[in-house]
Amino acid sequence: MPEIDPPESGNRVPSSVEEALEIASTNFKPLCHDGTPASVHVEEFDIGYLVYATFPPTEPRSFGGSHLIISKVDGALTFVPNFPRSRRFPFTASVTIPTLSVGAARPMAHAV
């Protein structure tokens, strides 16, 4: 059976933090309040790269905006909200989100 190539996403797939920063430079351009470009940093994690802005200490603190995640699999770009550290989950493929359990567990119905 012939090997089938995966569909092309049209995005470049980074293989290093430097390449992720280069890709981000055309897609993620955060600005300080005075209009100057903010510093952009990249952190590698298991399935991609997290790209985020840092601002000078004199910059007023505000929450909002977004971070950019670049997939190591297909180069897909995903913007995620910027939450304070106390409200963030770690960026990893093995994240388990806690759930609240009310009453007995019931199987979910599947649509046909």
Side-chain angles (χ1 to χ4, degrees), residues 5 10-11 16 33 35 41 50 59 71 88 92 95-97 103-104:
D5 291 331
N11 294 325
S16 68
H33 286 286
H41 298 273
L50 171 66
E59 188 80 8
S71 170
R88 286 186 209 159
T92 177
V95 168
T96 348
I97 299 175

Side-chain angles (χ1 to χ4, degrees), residues 6-97:
E8 292 185 29
S9 68
N11 294 325
R12 193 167 127 213
V13 179
S15 61
S16 68
V17 168
E18 292 77 18
E19 286 182 14
L21 186 58
E22 186 180 318
I23 292 167
S25 70
T26 60
N27 298 286
F28 186 67
K29 298 178 183 183
L31 299 175
C32 295
H33 286 286
D34 65 2
T36 59
S39 296
V40 176
H41 298 273
V42 178
E43 287 185 30
E44 184 174 9
F45 64 104
D46 55 353
I47 60 171
Y49 297 89
L50 171 66
V51 183
Y52 61 95
T54 57
F55 299 94
T58 56
E59 188 80 8
R61 292 288 117 206
S62 64
F63 295 104
S66 62
H67 297 314
L68 174 64
I69 293 179
I70 305 173
S71 170
K72 287 182 179 178
V73 175
D74 60 5
L77 306 176
T78 304
F79 288 89
V80 295
N82 175 20
F83 290 119
R85 278 204 185 277
S86 61
R87 294 191 50 209
R88 286 186 209 159
F89 286 104
F91 288 104
T92 177
S94 59
V95 168
T96 348
I97 299 175

